[in-house]
Amino acid sequence: MKIPLQKISDPAISSSGVNLFVLRLDLTHQHISGNKWYKLKYNLEEIKKQKIKTVLTFGGAYSNHIAATAAAGKEFGFKTIGIIRGDEEKELNATLQFAESGGMKLHFVSRTEYRKKHTPEFLSALTEKFGKIFIIPEGGSNEFGVKGCTEIVNEINIPFDFICSACGTGATISGIIMSLKEDQKAIAFPVLHAPGYIESEIKKWITHFNSKNFSNFHVNEDYDFGKYAKHTPELLAFIERFEKQNNIPLDQVYTGKMMFGIYDLIRKGYFEKNKTIVAVHTGGLQGKLH
Ligand SMILES: *Cc1c(COP(=O)(O)O)cnc(C)c1O
């Protein structure tokens, strides 16, 4: 599929002299949308190669990755198990209902238990319990996930100077950074308040892939709104205006925060005139407040 690159003709942007485009990964697939499609791509190849029939993964109750993995299982014919952080509520929310209707088996674990999820003990207990499974970490952020995200930049068929993405684990932006040319720069917008975390994740992945020493990125921690999934009336008002003006939906957890940051940086003159910025729309609309 050809991914649309949509030019923003909002007067608030055009008057600044910079060119802003949105790479509409939210349109990649109806249910495996945005960056989650790229993160799953090589994981799914691996499952096929290893002839494994069941995928187990992790996430919070609103996780876009949980929804995408369930949808992929349904579409490509493998079983899915979701280890969900927190106690089971009386009624499943829309994300978990969607996952369950896609055939995902949900297992709720306490927050304390969940924190141990990547320890060898926890993982071998899971294998014992569920048999032969392929384990994908939270957010789909393993080596295969990062590899898939290196292909996001290939979708852009114009020259550009800056590329921006919202970050949770930093896997997506790491893949992007490793496929940039030297005169292109990435700006990461973390959505969790964890100073230094995304920068260290990016450096970890660059080292892991043994790539040349990429330093053409900047992590901007000014737009995390204090906490994951936290939003303010100002952010919601921005999203509402942006959507009306540009006819592109944004969610309040990821893309809304990134776009708020980009607009603010443009307004403050961070980018020189005539520079071209590509904002990656990483999807996540299934978790949008309506
Ligand atoms: C999962 C997600 C992200 C975060 O991606 P990371 O690779 O974990 O940084 C960003 N945007 C949206 C919409 C997401 O669903």
Side-chain angles (χ1 to χ4, degrees):
M1 176 190 162
K2 172 99 189 59
I3 310 292
L5 188 64
Q6 187 171 336
K7 172 133 209 218
I8 297 297
S9 50
D10 190 335
I13 301 302
S14 33
S15 64
S16 70
V18 303
N19 307 300
L20 176 61
F21 291 84
V22 178
L23 183 67
R24 299 288 309 271
L25 299 186
D26 56 311
L27 302 174
T28 328
H29 185 287
Q30 192 183 356
H31 295 304
I32 316 171
S33 97
N35 59 343
K36 300 304 185 282
W37 171 267
Y38 293 85
K39 289 172 147 201
L40 283 171
K41 181 177 172 187
Y42 289 104
N43 275 296
L44 300 187
E45 263 186 21
E46 197 58 27
I47 294 158
K48 247 203 212 151
K49 222 189 278 171
Q50 297 187 24
K51 299 195 167 50
I52 297 179
K53 302 273 183 286
T54 306
V55 167
L56 180 145
T57 193
F58 307 86
Y62 295 88
S63 164
N64 295 323
H65 167 69
I66 287 289
T69 305
K74 188 174 179 189
E75 182 159 336
F76 301 111
F78 55 87
K79 294 204 183 90
T80 52
I81 300 169
I83 306 292
I84 310 299
R85 182 184 59 228
D87 294 328
E88 183 165 6
E89 303 281 328
K90 279 210 183 64
E91 211 172 310
L92 295 182
N93 69 28
T95 303
L96 297 179
Q97 273 181 33
F98 172 81
E100 209 173 54
S101 72
M104 183 178 265
K105 292 260 182 322
L106 303 176
H107 289 269
F108 293 84
V109 299
S110 70
R111 283 165 189 275
T112 322
E113 191 77 352
Y114 189 85
R115 245 175 264 132
K116 300 182 198 142
K117 65 188 175 300
H118 294 149
T119 62
E121 295 77 29
F122 192 78
L123 295 176
S124 66
L126 287 174
T127 312
E128 210 152 282
K129 183 164 177 190
F130 296 109
K132 198 173 180 204
I133 49 176
F134 186 87
I135 297 175
I136 301 180
E138 187 174 51
S141 301
N142 56 7
E143 168 174 19
F144 301 114
V146 174
K147 184 181 173 201
C149 291
T150 63
E151 296 178 2
I152 290 173
V153 172
N154 302 346
E155 310 286 359
I156 306 168
N157 55 5
I158 57 162
F160 66 90
D161 304 295
F162 293 91
I163 184 164
C164 304
S165 178
C167 304
T169 65
T172 303
I173 197 79
S174 299
I176 289 173
I177 290 165
M178 287 187 270
S179 48
L180 291 182
K181 301 197 183 100
E182 262 159 41
D183 58 349
Q184 295 173 322
K185 189 171 176 182
I187 305 177
F189 290 92
V191 304
L192 317 99
H193 187 71
Y197 169 68
I198 292 296
E199 176 135 2
S200 70
E201 284 300 293
I202 293 172
K203 288 185 174 154
K204 181 191 89 180
W205 284 118
I206 290 176
T207 312
H208 178 88
F209 279 85
N210 212 359
S211 277
K212 57 181 184 171
N213 200 10
F214 282 98
S215 56
N216 46 343
F217 67 88
H218 171 66
V219 181
N220 187 317
E221 296 182 336
D222 296 341
Y223 302 100
D224 60 29
F225 289 81
K227 202 174 156 207
Y228 182 73
K230 182 170 178 227
H231 49 266
T232 61
E234 189 189 14
L235 177 62
L236 296 182
F238 169 81
I239 292 174
E240 196 181 324
R241 183 199 166 277
F242 179 91
E243 291 178 337
K244 268 207 203 104
Q245 186 71 40
N246 304 299
N247 200 22
I248 300 175
L250 299 176
D251 77 293
Q252 73 288 350
V253 180
Y254 292 103
T255 55
K257 288 182 180 178
M258 169 195 68
M259 201 59 81
F260 185 99
I262 294 173
Y263 265 57
D264 198 46
L265 290 175
I266 289 176
R267 192 176 56 77
K268 290 176 173 159
Y270 177 87
F271 302 101
E272 284 169 44
K273 270 200 173 44
N274 297 320
K275 292 291 181 194
T276 297
I277 306 152
V278 174
V280 179
H281 194 310
T282 40
L285 297 170
Q286 69 88 24
K288 183 173 165 57
L289 282 179
H290 291 283

